[in-house]
Amino acid sequence: MNREAIINLVKDWRVALLLVLVIGSLAGIYLTPPDLQKGLEGNLQFGLDLQGGSWLQMEFQSVIVAYSTDKPVGDLVDNLQKSLEADVIQIDQNHLEIRKSVSRADLEPLFAASGAKIVGYQEGVSSFTADEVKRILNDKVNALGMQDARINLLTPTGSEYPQYVRIELAGVDMETAQEIVGKQGMFEIRIQTTGNETEHVLFGDQITSVGVPQRDPEYQTWGVGFALTEAGAQAFREAALKQGAVDNPGAHHLVMLLDNKTVYSAPLAGDLAAQLRSGPVRSLSATTGTGDAGLDDAMTLEIHLRAGALPVKVDVVGSGSVPAALGEHFKTTVVLAGLLALLTVGVVVYYRYREPLIVLPMLAINLAEIIILLGIARFIQQLDLAAIAGLIAVVGTGIDQLVIITDEVLHEGRVPSQNLYMKRYGRALGIIAVSAATVFIAMLPLALMDLSTLRGFAIITMLGVLIGILVTRPAYGKVIMAILSK
């Protein structure tokens, strides 16, 4: 091909789009953010298999009980909380979540004493509590700057409720992983004095319980309720009286800090100030606003009020680690496997066509597809062994589809006329589109399931299918036409 033909080829929007995405992907991998010490890995996020690290599997110490009763449910909940010394949450009209590991045999007399009967019993937590645990762990991990973390909820076969949570931390030793799960942050409440100055009121150890986000039915505002110890309530009242907050609540903000970082600040409520005049108040509520934004802030504040503590106790039932050296060995093996796959594909394609001008564009387009795929995965997906398997699968299916295009456009070994070429090329794309749609639909359930071993494979495969149909196959059709016509 001469210089003019190459320029015309690059000007075609399909080829231009491919080149722009390849350059953008390389920039995303190596230049954002810039780091002169990056190796070939760039900004790619590697999972536990390829980087080394630790994993913990923890069991929720909680049970879900289905019940029936003719008496007020509130009395049942109060009696259970006092008898078990544990939080009891009403999930719906017929189910309670008891945040303590207790057998059905031990619960039955307690329910009977409250005029209730146990209908069903399962170990685990409600979906709300499970999501709350996942949010808290994510918040902890993100606060420590660890992006290569996976947190998955596991539900045993035949159960409706999650019973385990598994956390994988790439590049983290076992001791640090245990500390992340068990360590609480330092939570502090302060009150505004004058200007931007604040004074200490109490620490998080004075908070006895934290409620779930609730919406005020009258004002439609979201908030989180929490209770103080008697000493904490007394310290809070004394600080409010000392600073004059009970007389001028609007001028004195209540400031909450987690590890010296402000997580909540709002003026003292007028009705609370009136209550503090007459005595200590143990039950407080922090209002966060209305709508979805208020709910999001309330959920975040709930985590901070707990100072990073999980709402339900967990016991470690399994753990393991992958040494960094073994992770590097896996990484090297994966690179060699990928190169060997690409080389093998090239040899097979050359044996079929015996023409380098067909083989080289195929391999180049396939390589470009992998680069674009890695550039996108760099932002949304860790690269573990399952994801790498998806990449290798994309190489194989990609070449397969390029062979379909080449076989269709070649007519008895010769390049057909322009009209016949476009007709055959359109038919090839139709075949590929149907095949890609089948793969996409087959992978979709795996991508939506929270399964750490399969989700990466499904996501990478689906991305590869989309990139192929939308970008690389159209570009290959234009490139192969320009080459074969010469």
Side-chain angles (χ1 to χ4, degrees):
M1 295 178 63
N2 56 37
R3 184 171 179 270
E4 182 180 354
I6 294 176
I7 292 175
N8 291 333
L9 183 62
V10 172
K11 286 182 178 180
D12 184 86
W13 70 269
R14 292 166 283 246
V15 179
L17 176 61
L18 176 68
L19 294 176
V20 168
L21 289 178
V22 168
I23 295 172
S25 298
L26 291 173
I29 295 173
Y30 293 105
L31 300 180
T32 54
D35 187 349
L36 299 178
Q37 297 182 347
K38 288 175 185 170
L40 293 176
E41 301 168 2
N43 292 312
L44 295 176
Q45 297 183 29
F46 292 99
L48 184 65
D49 299 329
L50 302 179
Q51 189 174 337
S54 305
W55 63 268
L56 296 171
Q57 183 163 316
M58 297 161 288
E59 183 179 16
F60 296 120
Q61 300 302 295
S62 176
V63 296
I64 304 294
V65 179
Y67 67 94
S68 62
T69 181
D70 296 329
K71 296 184 177 181
V73 180
D75 294 341
L76 172 62
V77 172
D78 290 339
N79 292 337
L80 289 173
Q81 287 180 333
K82 292 176 182 178
S83 302
L84 297 171
E85 296 183 353
D87 288 338
V88 179
I89 309 298
Q90 185 173 5
I91 303 174
D92 53 40
Q93 293 181 348
N94 303 312
H95 291 83
L96 294 178
E97 177 184 81
I98 301 175
R99 293 177 173 177
K100 186 176 183 178
S101 182
V102 56
S103 67
R104 178 168 182 166
D106 292 335
L107 285 175
E108 285 179 342
L110 299 178
F111 273 76
S114 300
K117 182 181 179 181
I118 296 179
V119 178
Y121 172 94
Q122 288 190 44
E123 295 181 345
V125 296
S126 64
S127 58
F128 179 85
T129 301
D131 291 339
E132 187 178 16
V133 169
K134 195 170 182 178
R135 286 199 312 272
I136 292 172
L137 290 175
N138 269 318
D139 187 72
K140 282 186 171 185
V141 169
N142 292 334
L144 294 173
M146 298 178 183
Q147 297 180 354
D148 299 334
R150 281 186 173 184
I151 301 169
N152 296 287
L153 301 169
L154 306 177
T155 303
T157 304
S159 176
E160 301 177 42
Y161 305 102
Q163 190 175 345
Y164 303 94
V165 59
R166 178 185 170 100
I167 178 170
E168 298 178 2
L169 297 169
V172 175
D173 57 59
M174 183 62 67
E175 182 179 352
T176 305
Q178 293 272 13
E179 184 180 0
I180 290 172
V181 174
K183 181 181 177 182
Q184 294 182 225
M186 188 186 74
F187 188 83
E188 181 185 14
I189 296 180
R190 302 178 69 89
I191 192 168
Q192 184 182 4
T193 55
T194 57
N196 293 325
E197 298 295 324
T198 60
E199 182 181 88
H200 169 77
V201 178
L202 55 89
F203 286 111
D205 58 357
Q206 298 294 324
I207 298 176
T208 59
S209 64
V210 180
V212 297
Q214 299 284 346
R215 184 166 58 182
D216 187 293
E218 181 178 356
Y219 300 103
Q220 298 298 306
T221 55
W222 287 96
V224 180
F226 59 100
L228 304 177
T229 62
E230 292 184 6
Q234 184 62 37
F236 180 64
R237 179 174 185 263
E238 291 174 358
L241 290 171
K242 176 183 176 182
Q243 301 303 328
V246 294
D247 299 320
N248 187 13
H252 296 274
H253 281 227
L254 199 63
V255 182
M256 302 181 186
L257 301 97
L258 181 64
D259 292 333
N260 295 320
K261 181 180 178 181
T262 300
V263 296
Y264 177 84
S265 179
L268 204 66
D271 56 348
L272 176 59
Q275 294 178 50
L276 289 172
R277 284 194 183 94
S278 57
V281 178
R282 292 189 59 184
S283 297
L284 304 176
S285 180
T287 304
T288 56
T290 60
D292 292 339
L295 174 58
D296 291 341
D297 291 342
M299 294 170 69
T300 302
L301 179 59
E302 178 197 359
I303 295 173
H304 294 323
L305 283 169
R306 297 184 186 277
L310 299 179
V312 59
K313 183 182 177 183
V314 293
D315 282 349
V316 177
V317 294
S319 62
S321 61
V322 177
L326 185 58
E328 288 295 328
H329 173 71
F330 286 160
K331 199 180 299 181
T332 303
T333 304
V334 162
V335 172
L336 292 177
L339 292 176
L340 182 61
L342 199 61
L343 179 62
T344 303
V345 166
V347 171
V348 172
V349 171
Y350 180 78
Y351 179 78
R352 176 178 178 83
Y353 294 107
R354 306 296 177 92
E355 176 56 62
L357 290 179
I358 295 179
V359 177
L360 293 178
M362 277 191 182
L363 296 181
I365 290 291
N366 212 240
L367 182 61
E369 185 173 334
I370 296 300
I371 292 174
I372 296 172
L373 188 52
L374 289 175
I376 297 175
R378 168 256 187 278
F379 295 99
I380 65 173
Q381 177 65 37
Q382 283 185 0
L383 295 179
D384 54 12
L385 291 180
I388 296 298
L391 283 173
I392 295 176
V394 167
V395 171
T397 57
I399 288 292
D400 186 38
Q401 293 174 358
L402 297 182
V403 168
I404 292 175
I405 293 176
T406 306
D407 284 351
E408 281 292 326
V409 299
L410 285 175
H411 180 63
E412 297 179 355
R414 299 189 304 272
V415 180
S417 64
Q418 177 75 13
N419 292 335
L420 185 56
Y421 178 92
M422 295 307 298
K423 182 178 179 180
R424 288 175 172 268
Y425 174 62
R427 184 167 61 184
L429 284 184
I431 296 171
I432 292 171
V434 173
S435 173
T438 303
V439 173
F440 191 93
I441 293 172
M443 292 292 108
L444 189 59
L446 295 180
L448 296 178
M449 291 180 183
D450 207 0
L451 298 175
S452 60
T453 54
L454 298 176
R455 197 163 181 262
F457 174 82
I459 290 175
I460 292 296
T461 303
M462 291 169 64
L463 283 175
V465 166
L466 290 176
I467 294 170
I469 288 295
L470 300 177
V471 181
T472 56
R473 308 298 176 261
Y476 176 75
K478 186 66 179 178
V479 171
I480 200 67
M481 177 182 177
I483 291 177
L484 294 181
S485 64
K486 302 299 180 182

Coordinates of all heavy atoms in Angstrom, one line a residue, residues 338-391:
G338 N -0.7 -15.8 27.3 CA -1.4 -14.9 26.3 C -0.6 -14.8 25.0 O -1.1 -14.8 23.9
L339 N 0.7 -14.6 25.2 CA 1.6 -14.5 24.0 C 1.6 -15.8 23.2 O 1.5 -15.8 21.9 CB 3.0 -14.2 24.4 CG 3.2 -12.8 25.0 CD1 4.7 -12.6 25.4 CD2 2.9 -11.7 23.9
L340 N 1.6 -16.9 23.9 CA 1.5 -18.2 23.2 C 0.2 -18.4 22.5 O 0.2 -18.9 21.3 CB 1.7 -19.3 24.2 CG 1.8 -20.8 23.6 CD1 2.9 -20.9 22.7 CD2 1.9 -21.8 24.8
A341 N -0.9 -18.0 23.1 CA -2.2 -18.1 22.4 C -2.2 -17.2 21.1 O -2.7 -17.7 20.1 CB -3.3 -17.6 23.4
L342 N -1.7 -16.0 21.2 CA -1.7 -15.1 20.1 C -0.8 -15.7 19.0 O -1.1 -15.6 17.8 CB -1.2 -13.7 20.5 CG -1.5 -12.5 19.6 CD1 -3.0 -12.4 19.4 CD2 -0.9 -11.3 20.1
L343 N 0.4 -16.2 19.3 CA 1.3 -16.8 18.3 C 0.7 -18.0 17.7 O 0.8 -18.2 16.5 CB 2.6 -17.2 19.0 CG 3.7 -17.8 18.1 CD1 4.1 -16.8 17.0 CD2 4.9 -18.2 19.0
T344 N 0.0 -18.9 18.5 CA -0.6 -20.1 17.9 C -1.7 -19.7 17.0 O -1.8 -20.3 15.9 CB -1.2 -20.9 19.1 OG1 -0.1 -21.2 20.0 CG2 -1.8 -22.2 18.6
V345 N -2.5 -18.7 17.3 CA -3.6 -18.3 16.4 C -3.0 -17.8 15.1 O -3.5 -18.1 14.0 CB -4.4 -17.2 17.1 CG1 -5.3 -16.5 16.1 CG2 -5.3 -17.8 18.2
G346 N -1.9 -17.0 15.2 CA -1.2 -16.5 14.0 C -0.8 -17.6 13.1 O -0.9 -17.6 11.8
V347 N -0.2 -18.7 13.7 CA 0.3 -19.8 12.9 C -0.9 -20.5 12.2 O -0.8 -20.8 11.0 CB 1.1 -20.8 13.8 CG1 1.4 -22.1 13.0 CG2 2.4 -20.1 14.2
V348 N -1.9 -20.7 12.9 CA -3.1 -21.4 12.3 C -3.7 -20.6 11.2 O -4.1 -21.1 10.1 CB -4.1 -21.7 13.4 CG1 -5.4 -22.2 12.8 CG2 -3.6 -22.7 14.4
V349 N -3.8 -19.3 11.4 CA -4.4 -18.4 10.3 C -3.5 -18.4 9.1 O -4.0 -18.4 8.0 CB -4.6 -17.0 10.9 CG1 -5.1 -16.1 9.8 CG2 -5.7 -17.0 12.0
Y350 N -2.2 -18.3 9.3 CA -1.3 -18.4 8.2 C -1.4 -19.7 7.4 O -1.3 -19.7 6.2 CB 0.2 -18.1 8.7 CG 1.2 -18.1 7.5 CD1 1.3 -17.0 6.7 CD2 1.9 -19.3 7.3 CE1 2.2 -17.0 5.7 CE2 2.9 -19.3 6.2 CZ 3.0 -18.1 5.4 OH 3.9 -18.1 4.4
Y351 N -1.5 -20.8 8.2 CA -1.6 -22.1 7.5 C -2.9 -22.1 6.6 O -2.9 -22.8 5.6 CB -1.7 -23.2 8.5 CG -1.8 -24.6 8.0 CD1 -0.7 -25.2 7.4 CD2 -3.1 -25.2 8.0 CE1 -0.9 -26.5 6.9 CE2 -3.2 -26.5 7.5 CZ -2.1 -27.1 6.9 OH -2.3 -28.4 6.4
R352 N -3.9 -21.4 7.0 CA -5.2 -21.4 6.3 C -5.1 -20.6 5.0 O -5.5 -21.0 4.0 CB -6.3 -20.9 7.2 CG -7.7 -20.8 6.4 CD -8.8 -20.3 7.4 NE -10.0 -20.2 6.7 CZ -10.9 -21.2 6.4 NH1 -10.6 -22.4 6.8 NH2 -12.0 -21.0 5.7
Y353 N -4.5 -19.3 5.1 CA -4.5 -18.4 4.0 C -3.2 -18.3 3.3 O -3.2 -17.9 2.1 CB -4.9 -17.0 4.5 CG -6.3 -16.9 5.0 CD1 -6.6 -16.8 6.4 CD2 -7.4 -17.0 4.2 CE1 -7.9 -16.7 6.9 CE2 -8.7 -16.9 4.6 CZ -8.9 -16.8 6.0 OH -10.2 -16.7 6.5
R354 N -2.1 -18.7 3.9 CA -0.8 -18.6 3.3 C -0.5 -17.2 2.8 O 0.2 -17.1 1.7 CB -0.6 -19.7 2.2 CG -1.0 -21.1 2.6 CD 0.0 -21.6 3.6 NE -0.4 -23.0 4.1 CZ 0.2 -24.1 3.5 NH1 1.0 -23.9 2.5 NH2 -0.2 -25.3 4.0
E355 N -1.0 -16.2 3.5 CA -0.8 -14.8 3.0 C -0.5 -13.9 4.2 O -1.4 -13.7 5.0 CB -2.0 -14.4 2.3 CG -1.9 -12.9 1.8 CD -0.7 -12.6 1.0 OE1 -0.6 -13.2 -0.1 OE2 0.1 -11.8 1.4
P356 N 0.7 -13.4 4.4 CA 1.1 -12.6 5.5 C 0.2 -11.3 5.6 O -0.1 -10.8 6.7 CB 2.6 -12.2 5.3 CG 3.1 -13.3 4.4 CD 1.9 -13.7 3.6
L357 N -0.2 -10.8 4.4 CA -1.0 -9.5 4.4 C -2.4 -9.7 5.0 O -3.1 -8.8 5.2 CB -1.1 -9.0 3.0 CG 0.2 -8.5 2.4 CD1 0.0 -8.0 1.0 CD2 0.7 -7.3 3.2
I358 N -2.8 -11.0 5.2 CA -4.1 -11.3 5.9 C -3.8 -11.5 7.4 O -4.5 -11.1 8.2 CB -4.8 -12.5 5.2 CG1 -5.2 -12.1 3.8 CG2 -6.0 -12.9 6.0 CD1 -5.9 -13.2 3.1
V359 N -2.7 -12.3 7.6 CA -2.4 -12.7 9.0 C -2.1 -11.4 9.9 O -2.6 -11.3 11.0 CB -1.3 -13.7 9.1 CG1 -0.9 -14.0 10.5 CG2 -1.6 -14.9 8.3
L360 N -1.2 -10.6 9.4 CA -0.8 -9.4 10.2 C -1.9 -8.5 10.6 O -2.0 -8.1 11.7 CB 0.3 -8.7 9.4 CG 1.6 -9.4 9.2 CD1 2.6 -8.6 8.4 CD2 2.2 -9.8 10.6
P361 N -2.8 -8.1 9.7 CA -3.9 -7.3 10.1 C -4.8 -7.9 11.1 O -5.3 -7.3 12.1 CB -4.7 -7.0 8.8 CG -3.7 -7.2 7.7 CD -2.8 -8.3 8.2
M362 N -5.0 -9.3 11.0 CA -5.8 -10.0 12.0 C -5.2 -9.9 13.4 O -5.9 -9.5 14.3 CB -5.9 -11.5 11.6 CG -7.0 -11.8 10.6 SD -7.2 -13.6 10.5 CE -8.5 -13.6 9.2
L363 N -3.9 -10.2 13.4 CA -3.2 -10.1 14.7 C -3.2 -8.7 15.3 O -3.4 -8.5 16.5 CB -1.8 -10.7 14.6 CG -1.7 -12.2 14.3 CD1 -0.3 -12.6 14.2 CD2 -2.5 -13.0 15.3
A364 N -3.0 -7.7 14.4 CA -2.9 -6.3 14.8 C -4.3 -5.8 15.4 O -4.4 -5.2 16.4 CB -2.5 -5.4 13.7
I365 N -5.4 -6.2 14.7 CA -6.7 -5.8 15.1 C -7.0 -6.5 16.4 O -7.6 -5.9 17.4 CB -7.8 -6.2 14.1 CG1 -7.6 -5.3 12.8 CG2 -9.2 -6.1 14.6 CD1 -8.0 -3.9 13.1
N366 N -6.6 -7.8 16.6 CA -6.9 -8.5 17.8 C -6.1 -7.9 19.0 O -6.6 -7.8 20.1 CB -6.5 -10.0 17.6 CG -7.3 -11.0 18.4 OD1 -6.8 -11.7 19.2 ND2 -8.6 -10.9 18.2
L367 N -4.9 -7.5 18.7 CA -4.0 -6.9 19.8 C -4.7 -5.6 20.2 O -4.7 -5.2 21.4 CB -2.6 -6.7 19.3 CG -1.6 -6.1 20.3 CD1 -1.5 -7.0 21.5 CD2 -0.3 -5.9 19.6
A368 N -5.1 -4.8 19.2 CA -5.8 -3.5 19.5 C -7.0 -3.7 20.3 O -7.3 -2.9 21.2 CB -6.2 -2.8 18.2
E369 N -7.8 -4.8 20.1 CA -8.9 -5.1 20.8 C -8.6 -5.4 22.3 O -9.3 -4.9 23.2 CB -9.7 -6.3 20.2 CG -11.0 -6.7 20.9 CD -11.7 -7.8 20.2 OE1 -11.5 -7.9 19.0 OE2 -12.5 -8.5 20.8
I370 N -7.5 -6.1 22.5 CA -7.0 -6.4 23.9 C -6.6 -5.1 24.6 O -6.9 -4.9 25.8 CB -5.9 -7.4 23.9 CG1 -6.4 -8.8 23.3 CG2 -5.3 -7.6 25.2 CD1 -7.5 -9.4 24.1
I371 N -5.9 -4.2 23.9 CA -5.5 -3.0 24.5 C -6.6 -2.1 24.9 O -6.7 -1.6 26.0 CB -4.6 -2.2 23.5 CG1 -3.2 -3.0 23.3 CG2 -4.3 -0.8 24.0 CD1 -2.3 -2.4 22.2
I372 N -7.6 -2.0 24.0 CA -8.8 -1.3 24.4 C -9.6 -1.9 25.6 O -10.0 -1.2 26.5 CB -9.8 -1.2 23.2 CG1 -9.1 -0.4 22.0 CG2 -11.1 -0.5 23.6 CD1 -9.9 -0.4 20.7
L373 N -9.6 -3.2 25.6 CA -10.3 -3.9 26.7 C -9.6 -3.7 28.0 O -10.2 -3.4 29.0 CB -10.3 -5.4 26.3 CG -11.2 -6.3 27.2 CD1 -12.6 -5.8 27.4 CD2 -11.2 -7.7 26.7
L374 N -8.3 -3.7 28.0 CA -7.5 -3.4 29.2 C -7.6 -2.0 29.6 O -7.7 -1.7 30.8 CB -6.0 -3.8 29.0 CG -5.6 -5.2 28.8 CD1 -4.2 -5.4 28.5 CD2 -5.9 -6.0 30.1
G375 N -7.7 -1.1 28.6 CA -7.9 0.3 29.0 C -9.2 0.6 29.7 O -9.3 1.5 30.6
I376 N -10.3 -0.1 29.3 CA -11.6 0.0 30.0 C -11.6 -0.7 31.3 O -12.0 -0.2 32.3 CB -12.7 -0.5 29.1 CG1 -12.8 0.3 27.8 CG2 -14.0 -0.5 29.8 CD1 -13.8 -0.2 26.8
A377 N -11.0 -1.9 31.3 CA -11.0 -2.7 32.6 C -10.1 -2.0 33.7 O -10.4 -2.3 34.8 CB -10.4 -4.1 32.3
R378 N -9.2 -1.2 33.3 CA -8.3 -0.5 34.2 C -9.2 0.3 35.2 O -8.8 0.6 36.3 CB -7.3 0.3 33.5 CG -6.6 1.4 34.3 CD -7.1 2.8 34.0 NE -6.4 3.8 34.6 CZ -6.4 4.2 35.9 NH1 -7.2 3.6 36.7 NH2 -5.7 5.2 36.4
F379 N -10.4 0.8 34.8 CA -11.2 1.6 35.6 C -12.3 0.8 36.3 O -12.8 1.3 37.3 CB -11.9 2.7 34.8 CG -10.9 3.7 34.2 CD1 -10.5 3.6 32.9 CD2 -10.4 4.7 34.9 CE1 -9.6 4.5 32.3 CE2 -9.5 5.6 34.4 CZ -9.1 5.5 33.1
I380 N -12.7 -0.3 35.8 CA -13.9 -1.0 36.4 C -13.6 -2.4 36.9 O -14.5 -3.0 37.6 CB -15.0 -1.0 35.3 CG1 -14.6 -1.9 34.1 CG2 -15.4 0.4 34.9 CD1 -15.7 -2.1 33.1
Q381 N -12.5 -3.0 36.6 CA -12.4 -4.4 36.9 C -10.9 -4.8 37.3 O -10.0 -4.4 36.6 CB -12.8 -5.3 35.6 CG -12.6 -6.8 35.8 CD -13.5 -7.4 36.8 OE1 -14.7 -6.9 37.0 NE2 -13.0 -8.3 37.5
Q382 N -10.8 -5.6 38.3 CA -9.5 -6.2 38.6 C -9.2 -7.3 37.6 O -10.1 -7.9 37.1 CB -9.6 -6.8 40.0 CG -9.5 -5.9 41.2 CD -9.4 -6.6 42.5 OE1 -9.4 -7.8 42.5 NE2 -9.4 -5.9 43.6
L383 N -7.9 -7.5 37.4 CA -7.5 -8.6 36.6 C -7.0 -9.7 37.5 O -5.9 -9.7 38.0 CB -6.3 -8.1 35.7 CG -6.7 -7.0 34.7 CD1 -5.5 -6.6 33.8 CD2 -7.8 -7.5 33.8
D384 N -7.8 -10.7 37.6 CA -7.5 -12.0 38.3 C -7.4 -13.1 37.3 O -7.5 -12.8 36.1 CB -8.4 -12.3 39.4 CG -9.9 -12.3 38.9 OD1 -10.1 -12.3 37.7 OD2 -10.8 -12.3 39.8
L385 N -7.2 -14.3 37.7 CA -7.1 -15.4 36.8 C -8.3 -15.6 35.9 O -8.3 -15.9 34.8 CB -6.8 -16.7 37.6 CG -5.4 -16.7 38.2 CD1 -5.1 -18.1 38.9 CD2 -4.3 -16.5 37.2
A386 N -9.5 -15.4 36.6 CA -10.8 -15.5 35.8 C -10.9 -14.4 34.7 O -11.3 -14.7 33.6 CB -12.0 -15.4 36.7
A387 N -10.5 -13.2 35.0 CA -10.5 -12.1 34.0 C -9.5 -12.4 32.9 O -9.8 -12.1 31.7 CB -10.2 -10.8 34.7
I388 N -8.3 -12.9 33.3 CA -7.3 -13.2 32.2 C -7.9 -14.3 31.3 O -7.6 -14.3 30.1 CB -6.0 -13.7 32.9 CG1 -5.4 -12.5 33.7 CG2 -5.0 -14.1 31.9 CD1 -5.1 -11.3 32.9
A389 N -8.6 -15.3 31.9 CA -9.2 -16.3 31.1 C -10.2 -15.7 30.1 O -10.3 -16.1 28.9 CB -9.9 -17.4 32.0
G390 N -10.9 -14.7 30.6 CA -11.8 -14.0 29.7 C -11.0 -13.3 28.5 O -11.5 -13.3 27.4
L391 N -9.9 -12.7 28.8 CA -9.1 -12.1 27.8 C -8.6 -13.1 26.8 O -8.7 -12.8 25.5 CB -7.8 -11.4 28.4 CG -8.0 -10.1 29.2 CD1 -6.8 -9.7 29.9 CD2 -8.5 -9.0 28.2

